[in-house]
Amino acid sequence: MFLLKTSNRHRQIIVIKTPNQMETVVNHIEVAIALPVFQTFTYSVPESFADFMATGKRVLVPFGQRRVTGYVFGQSQGSNTKEIKSILDILDEVPLFPSSMVPFFKWISDYYKYPVGQVVKNALPGGLNIRDYASVAITEKGRHVLAHDRLATIARDVLSQLRSGSVLVKDLNKKIKRDIPGTLLYSFERCGWITKEWKLAGQKTKARLERFVRLADTTLPVDHLSKTRTKIIDVLHIEGEISLKKLKETVPTAAALIKSLENEGYVTIHYKRVYRDPFGESIEPDRAHILNQEQLKAVSQSSNYLTKGYKTFLLRGVTGSGKTEVYMQVAAEALKNKLAVLVLVPEIALITQMERCFRARFGECVAVLHSALSTGERYDQWSRIIQGQATIAIGARSAIFAPFRNIGVIIVDEEHDASYKQEGSLRYNARDLAAVRAKQNECVALLGSATPSLQSYYNAAIKKFTELTLEKRVEQRPLPDIRIVDLRQSRDMRGIRRFITPELQEAMKASLERGEQILLFLNRRGYASFPVCGACGQPMRCKHCDISLTLHQQANAYRCHYCGFSRAATSKCEYCGSDKIRHLGLGTEKLEAMVASIFPKARIARMDRDTTQRKGSILKLLKGLKNRTTDILVGTQMVAKGHDFPNITLVGIICADLSLSFPDFRACERTFQLLAQVAGRAGRGDKRGSVILQTYNPDHFSIAAARQQDFIAFYRQEINFRKALNYPPYSRMVQLKISGKDPHETENHARLLGDLCRGLKAPPPDDYQSVEVMGPIEASLTRVAGRFRWQVLLKGLTATVLHQFINRLMSENPKVFARHPVQVTIDVDPYFMM
């Protein structure tokens, strides 16, 4: 027992036991380890840690010969105390996630066949996945206690080591030559003796603290004070409390003067947490809009379930029908019932528009979660949600893990979008997880789109989801007039006319003369997508992938869009050495240059991944459209996703067929969705819009349906193809992706895996006869990032049978799935088949 005597009359007694004394077990906890292991483990909690333990905290635990990080999932029933190891330390002061998310993490692990501890690690923002070391520093109060109070030996040793500056906790242990329990340091923090900051891979992720000043004694005379110090006192009389940063705006020399004022008893100085602002600028508040009858019905139906339990709604509304206003009014009803709101959007580019709408309506209770935030900003936004300061969170797919305790509604905007599917590591679909989390939390899921995914609309057709419809645009605005231009007529033309037909050029000229804005859509970035040697005919290929490079003229380089490999634009042909490289193909960068040559006075902007990587670039582009400093916007699919450009009256689709040729059963669905969405950007203001749709396949049913903006017509035709071929939604799929650096090893491993899959189907038993094994076969892109790729596709009538099949395959053949030169990745409900 160590006695820590404080400077006041009360004595605080804290019991700390050394490791060999930790025999008294308060309880047992279930811990998920942040390693590739699927099960959870039971650990005992020493009595000295009991008061600090909570679900959602990280703990340091022994695991084999290692000490690793684990996540507390709650209490567990330990059967044999002697065989259960004790936790070594608690790494967090407050939980990182609520206990209600534990079943969610377990479901994800089981469904997507991913280790549960790594599910949690992927769910947490990068800024919170800190390493197991911290830095501590002594405060002024701690120095005073060290100088004047009687302390236990360990307390004096710790504070003495910190007098010369901050020290890493792991180094502190070495200097004192004993392990310091985290609970002891937590106690020091609570007493105000030390401050602690966590370090993240060389970066600092911590709460931002600022100095605040307030008057201590208003009765003290100010006659003898200088004018500047008197001005500080006057400001404090008015403000009461003010940050030093703000005080310096009025009194620039305040930082040098407040310490003397504190010493003389005039003011007190204290640290206060402030949040880094990810928004950048203030927003003018707005009020709820008057809804039309369709919107009122949608809000009423979905809001009625906010306190009644789980329900998933599919809001199918044509482009410009006011789906965002429906979202906000449903969110308002949730907030009235003291419930949190989670809003998912498919791309970071859309978050800016959505968060501005929600902030204008709901103010400071809105948080944002996405990868474009700095580490500190993400940490602050996550903390605001945990602490209940933010009741609305808006973000991309990873925001599905926002740590709300009491969710009322989960909104998924543009639910059809492929961006909700995570590729790499944990391969989840955020749209599907929204329905799962809503069911587990007994709340509402509201999925919205003008062009729903076939899976979601099928669920509505079989009454698994409830359909809500918005058939008309707000304020009775008409849908745009869409005109198809057959590109086969201009196939033999050269130069600009091959891509910008006379019909499109004339329409652009007329729009510019009327002072209207234009959107040109081409779903391919870069300058030239197929550079080829003019001497030998060989394409410029990526060194690591079986695909041609793309010329990016502004960057003066050839780049691979799959692995990032780059070559200088001055490179010669690696086959014959010729420098006569012909730049075939078209990308947004070349299209921008073409348009500039036709309309030299027009102000042109480009929105693609190359132009939106820098922070603030998206907002700058959107401002240009809003303030009419941009006449023509050239963009990829980023411009097709839910943006509201009220001044755009003409949309030109340069080539509508780029996605039709993909070797994927969803190619027609994606083509229809993309064309219908981008066409919907036209005519969202007071003037009717028009669309010029250029295509080599004018008679294709997906092109025709997009022209009519008729989702039902497209669905009826496409669903028949899916049923005939037994593709989703009439079946479920799992893709086994095999990759390795050696082509022969990879092929052999793929064939072995295929044989094992077929072996499971051989009777008896006949449980898996409904499972169809397709492959192994080489992937469409045979080599990516230096790895050769094969795949096996499994189809089953139900997810249950398919998951049982995979579970047995994994349990009976663990070595096949083990990490070695050839890797096997399990992709449940795959979206990209290439």
Side-chain angles (χ1 to χ4, degrees):
M1 178 181 294
F2 304 104
L3 180 63
L4 308 181
K5 190 174 182 181
T6 60
S7 58
N8 55 29
R9 296 179 180 179
H10 302 285
R11 294 189 303 174
Q12 183 179 11
I13 299 176
I14 300 176
V15 177
I16 304 293
K17 293 187 177 181
T18 56
N20 60 356
Q21 293 177 306
M22 294 179 180
E23 297 175 355
T24 303
V25 176
V26 174
N27 56 13
H28 297 91
I29 57 172
E30 182 184 10
V31 177
I33 304 298
L35 290 173
V37 289
F38 282 85
Q39 69 270 37
T40 58
F41 298 87
T42 298
Y43 287 88
S44 65
V45 181
E47 185 179 359
S48 57
F49 288 159
D51 291 341
F52 297 94
M53 185 55 62
T55 299
K57 287 188 176 184
R58 292 176 309 122
V59 289
L60 191 65
V61 296
F63 192 77
Q65 300 300 313
R66 306 167 59 184
R67 294 189 305 171
V68 299
T69 298
Y71 304 96
V72 180
F73 272 12
Q75 290 198 352
S76 177
Q77 299 300 321
S79 57
N80 190 333
T81 303
K82 292 183 180 179
E83 295 180 0
I84 297 177
K85 297 178 181 180
S86 295
I87 66 169
L88 303 175
D89 206 350
I90 303 173
L91 302 177
D92 298 301
E93 293 186 64
V94 295
L96 299 181
F97 54 86
S99 58
S100 60
M101 292 187 69
V102 172
F104 187 50
F105 292 141
K106 289 183 175 180
W107 189 95
I108 293 170
S109 173
D110 179 64
Y111 188 82
Y112 289 106
K113 309 305 173 191
Y114 201 75
V116 65
Q118 293 188 315
V119 168
V120 182
K121 186 177 179 180
N122 275 269
L124 298 176
L128 294 179
N129 287 332
I130 52 182
R131 288 185 179 177
D132 296 331
Y133 60 83
S135 175
V136 291
I138 192 169
T139 63
E140 288 299 323
K141 186 175 181 181
R143 292 181 187 276
H144 180 82
V145 168
L146 181 62
H148 298 92
D149 290 10
R150 288 190 301 123
L151 297 171
T153 303
I154 187 172
R156 183 165 295 280
D157 289 345
V158 169
L159 295 178
S160 297
Q161 289 292 340
L162 299 178
R163 283 185 300 182
S164 58
S166 61
V167 179
L168 296 179
V169 172
K170 61 179 182 178
D171 294 335
L172 197 59
N173 291 333
K174 294 177 184 178
K175 290 180 178 181
I176 297 179
K177 297 181 180 179
R178 63 190 301 179
D179 287 333
I180 305 170
T183 47
L184 179 65
L185 296 180
Y186 294 157
S187 301
F188 287 1
E189 271 194 285
R190 289 179 179 178
C191 293
W193 298 352
I194 65 170
T195 59
K196 181 195 295 183
E197 68 177 36
W198 292 98
K199 308 267 181 147
L200 170 65
Q203 300 180 32
K204 296 180 180 180
T205 303
K206 60 177 182 177
R208 174 179 285 179
L209 301 177
E210 283 189 11
R211 283 187 289 175
F212 278 73
V213 186
R214 63 170 171 249
L215 287 176
D217 189 344
T218 57
T219 64
L220 293 176
V222 296
D223 299 342
H224 66 286
L225 297 180
S226 66
K227 289 184 179 180
T228 307
R229 296 207 296 172
T230 302
K231 189 174 182 180
I232 292 175
I233 300 297
D234 292 340
V235 171
L236 293 177
H237 270 295
I238 297 171
E239 298 289 340
E241 179 182 79
I242 189 173
S243 70
L244 178 58
K245 182 178 179 181
K246 189 174 181 181
L247 180 60
K248 285 164 64 177
E249 294 176 4
T250 306
V251 184
T253 59
L257 300 174
I258 59 169
K259 191 64 181 175
S260 63
L261 286 171
E262 183 186 39
N263 293 336
E264 295 174 25
Y266 285 94
V267 303
T268 59
I269 304 169
H270 63 283
Y271 284 88
K272 193 174 180 180
R273 182 172 184 177
V274 295
Y275 291 102
R276 284 155 278 224
D277 182 13
F279 301 113
E281 61 177 27
S282 59
I283 300 294
E284 289 293 325
D286 80 341
R287 296 180 180 178
H289 298 174
I290 298 174
L291 302 179
N292 59 34
Q293 289 301 312
E294 288 182 328
Q295 290 174 309
L296 278 170
K297 185 177 179 181
V299 171
S300 175
Q301 283 189 257
S302 51
S303 297
N304 284 342
Y305 273 88
L306 285 174
T307 57
K308 295 181 180 179
Y310 164 68
K311 190 79 170 178
T312 296
F313 293 93
L314 177 63
L315 177 62
R316 181 174 64 85
V318 298
T319 55
S321 58
K323 292 185 289 295
T324 301
E325 186 62 31
V326 171
Y327 300 154
M328 289 195 289
Q329 298 213 16
V330 172
E333 291 299 317
L335 295 180
K336 286 180 185 178
N337 288 282
K338 309 297 183 183
L339 299 172
V341 178
L342 176 55
V343 184
L344 302 184
V345 294
E347 295 246 7
I348 293 173
L350 271 177
I351 293 175
T352 300
Q353 178 174 293
M354 189 68 77
E355 59 94 348
R356 288 172 69 88
C357 291
F358 271 77
R359 283 174 59 212
R361 186 71 53 85
F362 301 107
E364 297 304 315
C365 71
V366 178
V368 290
L369 292 172
H370 57 79
S371 59
L373 299 178
S374 69
T375 303
E377 288 170 343
R378 287 199 303 273
Y379 176 81
D380 282 353
Q381 295 298 297
W382 189 270
S383 298
R384 290 180 64 220
I385 295 171
I386 291 174
Q387 295 169 12
Q389 297 178 12
T391 50
I392 299 175
I394 300 173
R397 58 176 175 257
S398 62
I400 189 61
F401 301 111
F404 285 120
R405 291 177 174 83
N406 192 19
I407 300 179
V409 59
I410 303 176
I411 297 167
V412 184
D413 189 33
E414 308 293 352
E415 65 85 29
H416 68 278
D417 200 280
S419 298
Y420 285 121
K421 173 68 174 179
Q422 167 74 29
E423 291 295 313
S425 63
L426 174 57
R427 297 172 180 269
Y428 65 91
N429 190 312
R431 177 201 63 204
D432 297 343
L433 289 187
V436 172
R437 191 171 183 188
K439 186 173 184 178
Q440 290 184 348
N441 286 265
E442 292 292 315
C443 70
V444 170
L446 179 57
L447 317 181
S449 176
T451 55
S453 62
L454 259 72
Q455 181 71 56
S456 293
Y457 197 75
Y458 177 78
N459 285 334
I462 63 174
K463 307 303 180 183
K464 188 175 180 180
F465 294 171
T466 300
E467 183 183 8
L468 308 171
T469 57
L470 303 176
E471 300 286 357
K472 299 176 181 177
R473 283 186 160 186
V474 294
E475 299 179 3
Q476 301 297 316
R477 292 168 184 159
L479 288 169
D481 175 53
I482 302 177
R483 182 153 48 105
I484 290 181
V485 175
D486 191 347
L487 284 177
R488 292 174 298 185
Q489 306 300 321
S490 58
R491 181 177 291 167
D492 297 328
M493 293 184 179
R494 293 179 175 272
I496 294 173
R497 286 183 172 272
R498 187 176 178 183
F499 304 106
I500 301 178
T501 58
E503 293 91 337
L504 177 56
Q505 186 171 334
E506 285 299 316
M508 291 175 66
K509 181 181 178 182
S511 293
L512 291 173
E513 288 174 350
R514 292 192 297 267
E516 299 166 359
Q517 292 176 317
I518 301 166
L519 170 63
L520 296 181
F521 169 73
L522 176 65
N523 203 22
R524 184 172 286 164
R525 62 192 175 100
Y527 187 85
S529 57
F530 191 67
V532 62
C533 177
C536 69
Q538 288 290 336
M540 300 283 282
R541 288 191 172 275
C542 175
K543 183 179 179 180
H544 308 294
C545 308
D546 287 337
I547 195 167
S548 61
L549 297 171
T550 298
L551 174 65
H552 289 254
Q553 194 172 69
Q554 191 171 349
N556 202 30
Y558 296 105
R559 288 178 176 170
C560 175
H561 289 175
Y562 284 86
C563 74
F565 173 75
S566 178
R567 293 179 63 185
T570 55
S571 300
K572 297 179 180 180
C573 175
E574 57 184 5
Y575 292 95
C576 70
S578 173
D579 60 358
K580 297 178 180 178
I581 307 299
R582 298 182 62 191
H583 297 138
L584 307 180
L586 181 67
T588 50
E589 198 175 358
K590 183 186 283 188
L591 178 61
E592 181 185 18
M594 285 180 170
V595 173
S597 67
I598 301 173
F599 303 104
K601 294 183 179 180
R603 297 163 294 181
I604 305 169
R606 175 162 51 94
M607 181 184 282
D608 55 27
R609 192 177 300 176
D610 296 331
T611 63
T612 57
Q613 289 181 340
R614 186 171 296 179
K615 188 172 183 178
S617 56
I618 295 174
L619 187 59
K620 184 178 179 180
L621 284 166
L622 297 178
K623 279 185 175 180
L625 288 166
K626 181 180 179 181
N627 299 333
R628 299 200 178 207
T629 57
T630 297
D631 299 316
I632 302 173
L633 178 67
V634 177
T636 57
Q637 62 181 354
M638 292 179 70
V639 302
K641 301 180 180 181
H643 287 292
D644 188 25
F645 305 132
N647 300 320
I648 288 180
T649 57
L650 174 65
V651 169
I653 300 174
I654 302 304
C655 184
D657 316 304
L658 293 179
S659 56
L660 269 179
S661 58
F662 280 18
D664 191 328
F665 72 91
R666 290 191 179 92
C668 293
E669 180 182 2
R670 289 182 188 146
T671 298
F672 168 78
Q673 290 168 341
L674 199 55
L675 298 181
Q677 289 284 342
V678 74
R681 299 314 104 197
R684 298 171 74 95
D686 297 330
K687 298 178 181 178
R688 182 170 189 174
S690 61
V691 180
I692 305 293
L693 193 158
Q694 300 182 158
T695 175
Y696 289 103
N697 297 279
D699 300 322
H700 196 283
F701 77 94
S702 61
I703 304 288
R707 179 186 184 184
Q708 298 299 324
Q709 297 275 289
D710 193 341
F711 169 78
I712 299 300
F714 170 79
Y715 173 82
R716 287 172 179 165
Q717 191 152 357
E718 178 68 12
I719 202 71
N720 289 330
F721 293 139
R722 300 284 183 90
K723 187 175 183 179
L725 297 171
N726 194 32
Y727 276 119
Y730 292 99
S731 66
R732 305 301 288 269
M733 297 171 61
V734 174
Q735 189 179 33
L736 304 178
K737 300 182 177 182
I738 306 101
S739 68
K741 292 187 176 182
D742 184 278
H744 302 294
E745 266 190 321
T746 306
E747 179 180 354
N748 292 337
H749 201 85
R751 297 197 182 282
L752 170 64
L753 188 58
D755 292 340
L756 292 173
C757 290
R758 280 184 285 273
L760 280 183
K761 284 174 54 65
D766 59 355
D767 297 347
Y768 307 126
Q769 292 309 298
S770 63
V771 176
E772 185 179 353
V773 180
M774 304 170 67
I777 190 172
E778 280 188 295
S780 299
L781 289 174
T782 308
R783 187 172 61 111
V784 172
R787 299 186 71 86
F788 294 88
R789 306 162 72 240
W790 285 66
Q791 54 186 255
V792 176
L793 191 63
L794 307 175
K795 286 202 298 183
L797 296 179
T798 65
T800 302
V801 171
L802 205 53
H803 280 68
Q804 289 174 351
F805 185 91
I806 287 293
N807 289 339
R808 185 174 169 188
L809 182 68
M810 294 173 65
S811 63
E812 293 183 0
N813 308 279
K815 292 184 179 179
V816 176
F817 291 88
R819 290 174 175 265
H820 46 62
V822 179
Q823 295 180 359
V824 178
T825 302
I826 300 173
D827 190 357
V828 179
D829 300 332
Y831 207 85
F832 300 99
M833 310 299 292
M834 297 178 64

